[in-house]
Amino acid sequence: MIPDEEKNLLSAQSRDYFQRMSNAAGRMQGLINDLLAYAQIEETSLNEQVDLQELLNTIKDEYDHVFNTGSGELQLGKLPIVPGNKVQLSQLFTNLISNAIKYAHAERKCRIEVSCLSCDAPDLIAVPTYIVTGKQ
């Protein structure tokens, strides 16, 4: 209500802070919804098609305050659509990226790369298999 009703009285920095708080609250609501969904996971939901490119772009947006300030960089290669559970995969990649940022060397820019290799071995594996790689 404050940003809407008093936005002309707020500085640009204050409006930015309110927008960040609003985004964080939205992410928190999403986490709560995800926890509720996780509690009700059935085996069939582990095979939904998850677009890793879209998922990682969403996570990248969540960390825009790090990547837009120049203190960090996240580069995404071409990522596949894979069977899995979107909530669990999102949590996995969020944790990996968060830890990479948190434990980055203090004197170096945090640079994270996420890419994918295809493991096509039809003699051994009946379904397409991918190796998602990351480095900091």
Side-chain angles (χ1 to χ4, degrees):
M1 290 173 44
I2 292 172
D4 291 337
E5 294 175 9
E6 305 290 333
K7 68 180 172 185
N8 295 332
L9 302 175
L10 297 173
S11 68
Q13 185 176 24
S14 293
R15 284 192 300 272
D16 180 56
Y17 289 153
F18 273 107
Q19 185 61 49
R20 288 175 190 253
M21 285 188 290
S22 178
N23 291 344
R27 287 192 302 274
M28 182 61 71
Q29 183 61 52
L31 286 172
I32 291 169
N33 292 340
D34 291 346
L35 281 172
L36 290 171
Y38 180 75
Q40 299 171 351
I41 285 180
E42 298 177 16
E43 190 173 328
T44 56
S45 71
L46 297 176
N47 291 318
E48 64 183 296
Q49 295 298 303
V50 180
D51 185 338
L52 292 183
Q53 196 77 50
E54 180 182 306
L55 187 112
L56 268 293
N57 279 323
T58 300
I59 293 170
K60 185 177 183 179
D61 290 344
E62 290 177 17
Y63 287 96
D64 68 339
H65 62 284
V66 173
F67 302 127
N68 288 339
T69 61
S71 60
E73 180 181 356
L74 175 59
Q75 292 186 335
L76 301 176
K78 187 172 185 320
L79 299 170
I81 296 173
V82 298
N85 181 277
K86 187 174 183 177
V87 172
Q88 291 178 330
L89 288 169
S90 178
Q91 192 62 52
L92 169 71
F93 284 107
T94 299
N95 288 345
L96 290 171
I97 291 169
S98 174
N99 285 342
I101 293 167
K102 184 177 181 180
Y103 297 110
H105 193 281
E107 297 175 12
R108 286 182 275 192
K109 178 179 176 179
C110 177
R111 185 168 185 265
I112 305 164
E113 296 177 29
V114 180
S115 59
C116 178
L117 303 170
S118 177
C119 297
D120 291 329
D123 298 347
L124 302 173
I125 305 168
V127 295
T129 304
Y130 302 95
I131 299 174
V132 177
T133 61
K135 67 179 182 177
Q136 178 188 18

